[in-house]
Amino acid sequence: MKNTAILLLALLLAAGQPVVSAQATVDINHADADAIAEALRGVGKAKAVAIVHDREVNGPFTSIDDLKRIKGIKDAVVEHNRDIMTLGQPASSQPVVQKK
């Protein structure tokens, strides 16, 4: 039985199928510094605080590449995390829940 499991795992890996595919995303326009630091590889607490500060001073990011304007955020950091970052919706376009 153990050999069958190993063989199946080897076949999945050889076929290029991900064994685990769940990956969290982070909305860089709404997340706090702790969430950003936890989600992004190569971004610690200080850089995450800088991201939030830039967003508060300059407004929401309009592109993931806007992060490169922050000191310490280089191309490699953006590219390593591009697939898990989102820009979310501007506050004015978020659905409004009306109470009855």
Side-chain angles (χ1 to χ4, degrees):
M1 189 63 160
K2 182 178 177 183
N3 289 339
T4 304
I6 292 172
L7 179 61
L8 180 58
L9 178 61
L11 289 172
L12 286 172
L13 292 173
Q17 298 298 319
V19 176
V20 177
S21 63
Q23 190 170 4
T25 60
V26 62
D27 177 349
I28 61 170
N29 276 329
H30 297 97
D32 63 17
D34 289 331
I36 292 170
E38 184 177 322
L40 301 183
R41 292 171 298 211
V43 175
K45 181 69 174 192
K47 288 181 188 174
V49 168
I51 291 169
V52 172
H53 176 74
D54 182 276
R55 182 181 72 208
E56 290 171 350
V57 170
N58 299 308
F61 298 104
T62 58
S63 166
I64 298 297
D65 291 316
D66 288 348
L67 288 174
K68 296 176 189 177
R69 69 181 178 223
I70 301 167
K71 184 178 180 179
I73 305 289
K74 304 291 184 199
D75 291 342
V77 171
V78 172
E79 293 310 316
H80 281 111
N81 293 291
R82 186 175 296 277
D83 293 342
I84 62 169
M85 292 187 287
T86 66
L87 298 173
Q89 295 180 336
S92 62
S93 67
Q94 289 182 350
V96 177
V97 177
Q98 295 180 354
K99 295 181 181 179
K100 292 184 178 182

